[in-house]
């Protein structure tokens, strides 16, 4: 009996992107997931953050390709600071909290639950 040769099939699965933007003066933020490009994700995150210009200017704090974003917030003195994280699924929230605590901030908590941008098969 002869073995058939193994056939290798490559499947092109487009990447997905996500981004998180924030206005450092006001603390307002917004994000986007499941976008087809980094540019589209960043543009949508800024648009969501700025809410029609009321909260401008917002800047992208973190972006992800085929991964997840979560954001923790903590207090240092009277100032609240956001700690965004981009990681693989299941790790973004823990990393955001770790960053917050490592900064010496108090009252660290997740303010944006993990949102993932993963390829669709």
């Amino acid at each position: 009996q002869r073995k058939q040769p193994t056939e290798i099939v490559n499947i092109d699965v487009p990447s997905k992107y996500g981004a998180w933007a924030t206005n450092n003066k006001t603390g307002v933020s917004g994000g986007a997931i499941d976008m087809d490009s980094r540019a589209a994700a960043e543009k949508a995150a800024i648009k969501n953050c700025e809410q029609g210009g009321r909260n401008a200017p917002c800047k992208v704090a973190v972006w992800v390709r085929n991964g997840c974003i979560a954001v923790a917030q903590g207090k240092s003195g009277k100032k609240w600071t956001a700690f965004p994280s981009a990681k693989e699924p299941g790790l973004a929230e823990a990393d955001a909290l770790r960053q917050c605590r490592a900064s010496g901030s108090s009252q660290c908590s997740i303010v944006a639950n993990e949102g993932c941008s993963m390829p669709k098969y």
Side-chain angles (χ1 to χ4, degrees):
Q1 224 179 16
R2 290 179 47 185
K3 287 187 175 182
Q4 292 291 335
T6 302
E7 183 179 347
I8 298 173
V9 178
N10 289 321
I11 300 172
D12 184 25
V13 179
S15 293
K16 290 294 183 178
Y17 296 81
W20 187 262
T22 186
N23 178 316
N24 290 332
K25 285 188 175 184
T26 65
V28 172
S29 58
I33 58 172
D34 283 334
M35 305 304 285
D36 292 329
S37 70
R38 177 180 172 182
E42 290 181 349
K43 183 178 180 179
I46 289 170
K47 182 178 178 181
N48 288 336
C49 176
E50 291 183 349
Q51 299 175 5
R54 292 189 310 257
N55 298 313
C58 290
K59 289 178 29 178
V60 173
V62 67
W63 67 275
V64 68
R65 174 181 171 259
N66 300 334
C68 305
I69 294 174
V71 182
Q73 187 177 55
K75 191 172 185 182
S76 181
K78 293 183 179 182
K79 184 180 177 190
W80 287 91
T81 304
F83 297 89
S85 174
K87 294 285 183 182
E88 50 273 2
L91 300 178
E93 288 183 13
D95 186 63
L97 284 171
R98 181 195 58 73
Q99 288 182 54
C100 181
R101 292 177 182 132
S103 77
S105 296
S106 64
Q107 301 178 34
C108 293
S109 64
I110 296 294
V111 294
N113 292 328
E114 183 175 271
C116 299
S117 297
M118 302 300 286
K120 307 291 189 259
Y121 296 99

